[in-house]
Amino acid sequence: MTTASRFVIAGGGLAAAKLAAALRANDFDGTITLVCAEERLPYERPPLSKDCLLGKKTPADTIVEQSQWYRDHHVEVLLGTTVTGVDRATKTITLPDHTTITYDKLALATGSRPRKLPIPGADAAGVYTLRTAEDSEAILEMFGSAGRLVVIGAGWIGLEVTAAARNAGLEVTVLESLDVPLQTALGPEMGQVFADLHREHGVDLRVATKVAEITVADGRASGVRLADDTVIPADAVLIAVGARPNIELAVDAGLATGEGVLVDESLATSDPDIVAVGDIADQQHPVLERRIRVEHWANALNQPAVAAATMLGKDAVYDRLPYFFTDQYDLGMEYTGYASAKQTARVVVRGDLGKREFIAFWLDSGNRVLAGMNVNIWDAGDRIKELILGGEAVDPDRLADTSISL
């Protein structure tokens, strides 16, 4: 057990809030300081592109813990503040006003930010990205005034905003550089499911396209010009081309980094007094036996319990399988496991692909289940996990046969 008395958490999202709660749940009675870049208390992000844009929730509904909780649990929260530097030798962090705070243990939960698109017009008024509560509020307000929206990028955020925009009555054109939406995440066959879904709901989906610029009139976005000089008129443009992990603080501190901040099975970084959680954590996963960095809600929700134990000097391993979900129109989906775009995986479908009521399995060359995606079927998640964790070869034909119990 640690005798440390001052813990600092750099970051203000779900992972940061859950880490503070996990420390208190483990009877840590020392000082906890939470340094949040945003002016809001930590909140959950998935509703920002789902329920909030559908008018079912407000960003206030996504707050993880209200201010009274932090007072009751003696957690100091610094809003609108970022950590600008970490001195590992003196075990201090620096804030923008050059004040310093000492730490015994430090957690990095700095999250990610939208990737920029280096094209003319990307900074014009009427061009949106989605990461923060303010972004979601601005997009929802735009729904009330714009008639035509162009979405650049057919990843999860782009498609979820598209579904919400269509629900609000906007004409939507989606531009994707690859051959199908979600090709990197799901591959061509499952990506086509989402292509068909959006086209059936009136979306003008254009794939294998290259964007040259966002056209501007009177200082505002007026459309998107493609590389072939086609111009698509728009009242607003959403750029949704992925996210970039905020690892600059770790790099400057001399921590080992790769696609994110390198952490071991216990979420400890190359400095044993520093852990990393959430979007930035590039973990050596004990089940998958490889490094993996996942930008999804489940990691931010579940990793903090392990990180808290590690900070407290306890033995802990984060071995949960990756998980994410989406809701678009009448399609609800959960994905469990990990099938890298760099792996050659066979997709086996169980159920009705046309009705979008099915389970898709990704199998490796030895017919072992790498991942499973249940679409509009809600009682399969545990069995998918069992098949992945079992690590045994399956019969693809039996797996696909709905007359045989899964």
Side-chain angles (χ1 to χ4, degrees), residues 307-383:
T310 298
M311 294 174 79
L312 293 167
K314 301 178 180 180
D315 292 331
V317 172
Y318 187 74
D319 57 5
R320 284 178 176 261
L321 293 172
Y323 167 89
F324 60 89
F325 68 98
T326 191
D327 296 299
Q328 300 172 32
Y329 311 110
D330 56 353
L331 183 150
M333 177 277 275
E334 296 176 309
Y335 180 105
T336 303
Y338 185 73
S340 168
K342 298 177 182 178
Q343 294 172 294
T344 301
R346 174 184 178 184
V347 179
V348 174
V349 175
R350 177 187 179 90
D352 194 323
L353 201 65
K355 291 183 179 179
R356 291 191 279 268
E357 294 180 2
F358 65 90
I359 306 171
F361 296 92
W362 282 259
L363 308 183
D364 68 9
S365 58
N367 286 332
R368 292 180 293 268
V369 178
L370 299 171
M373 180 177 77
N374 48 302
V375 175
N376 290 334
I377 294 176
W378 303 112
D379 58 355
D382 289 343
R383 183 57 180 143

Side-chain angles (χ1 to χ4, degrees), residues 90-397:
T90 61
K91 299 182 79 168
T92 57
I93 63 164
T94 303
L95 303 181
D97 63 1
H98 304 296
T99 61
T100 59
I101 298 174
T102 60
Y103 67 84
D104 293 299
K105 300 287 183 178
L106 172 65
L108 301 180
T110 47
S112 57
R113 63 188 184 275
R115 290 182 181 273
K116 294 184 177 180
L117 201 57
I119 58 173
D123 295 326
V127 178
Y128 299 81
T129 57
L130 177 52
R131 173 66 184 175
T132 68
E134 286 78 7
D135 294 337
S136 183
E137 290 170 332
I139 291 170
L140 183 59
E141 183 178 353
M142 176 267 289
F143 283 177
S145 59
R148 300 167 298 181
L149 171 67
V150 172
V151 176
I152 303 174
W156 298 114
I157 295 295
L159 293 185
E160 288 176 355
V161 173
T162 293
R166 289 296 296 138
N167 182 75
L170 277 71
E171 296 179 15
V172 184
T173 300
V174 176
L175 306 174
E176 170 56 49
S177 62
L178 300 178
D179 293 332
V180 294
L182 303 168
Q183 183 170 319
T184 302
L186 301 180
E189 185 176 0
M190 291 301 108
Q192 189 62 47
V193 171
F194 286 86
D196 295 341
L197 172 72
H198 282 270
R199 285 175 173 143
E200 286 176 17
H201 284 83
V203 175
D204 180 5
L205 171 63
R206 306 189 189 190
V207 298
T209 61
K210 184 176 180 180
V211 174
E213 71 170 318
I214 297 172
T215 59
V216 179
D218 298 324
R220 291 191 61 83
S222 61
V224 175
R225 183 173 66 81
L226 305 182
D228 64 3
D229 284 333
T230 299
V231 175
I232 304 168
D235 302 308
V237 176
L238 173 76
I239 297 176
V241 292
R244 187 180 299 279
N246 296 321
I247 64 172
E248 291 80 5
L249 192 63
V251 171
D252 292 343
L255 296 174
T257 58
E259 292 186 4
V261 181
L262 301 187
V263 296
D264 63 15
E265 296 179 349
S266 71
L267 302 176
T269 70
S270 55
D271 183 327
D273 291 323
I274 303 177
V275 300
V277 292
D279 288 2
I280 65 170
D282 189 356
Q283 187 207 9
Q284 183 61 39
H285 197 283
V287 175
L288 301 174
E289 298 182 337
R290 56 165 295 155
R291 285 206 170 274
I292 182 172
R293 187 180 69 83
V294 179
E295 296 172 352
H296 291 297
W297 163 87
N299 267 14
L301 178 69
N302 296 310
Q303 283 185 344
V306 171
T310 298
M311 294 174 79
L312 293 167
K314 301 178 180 180
D315 292 331
V317 172
Y318 187 74
D319 57 5
R320 284 178 176 261
L321 293 172
Y323 167 89
F324 60 89
F325 68 98
T326 191
D327 296 299
Q328 300 172 32
Y329 311 110
D330 56 353
L331 183 150
M333 177 277 275
E334 296 176 309
Y335 180 105
T336 303
Y338 185 73
S340 168
K342 298 177 182 178
Q343 294 172 294
T344 301
R346 174 184 178 184
V347 179
V348 174
V349 175
R350 177 187 179 90
D352 194 323
L353 201 65
K355 291 183 179 179
R356 291 191 279 268
E357 294 180 2
F358 65 90
I359 306 171
F361 296 92
W362 282 259
L363 308 183
D364 68 9
S365 58
N367 286 332
R368 292 180 293 268
V369 178
L370 299 171
M373 180 177 77
N374 48 302
V375 175
N376 290 334
I377 294 176
W378 303 112
D379 58 355
D382 289 343
R383 183 57 180 143
I384 291 171
K385 291 179 186 177
E386 290 173 1
L387 289 169
I388 297 170
L389 295 173
E392 298 179 356
V394 298
D395 181 339
D397 292 333

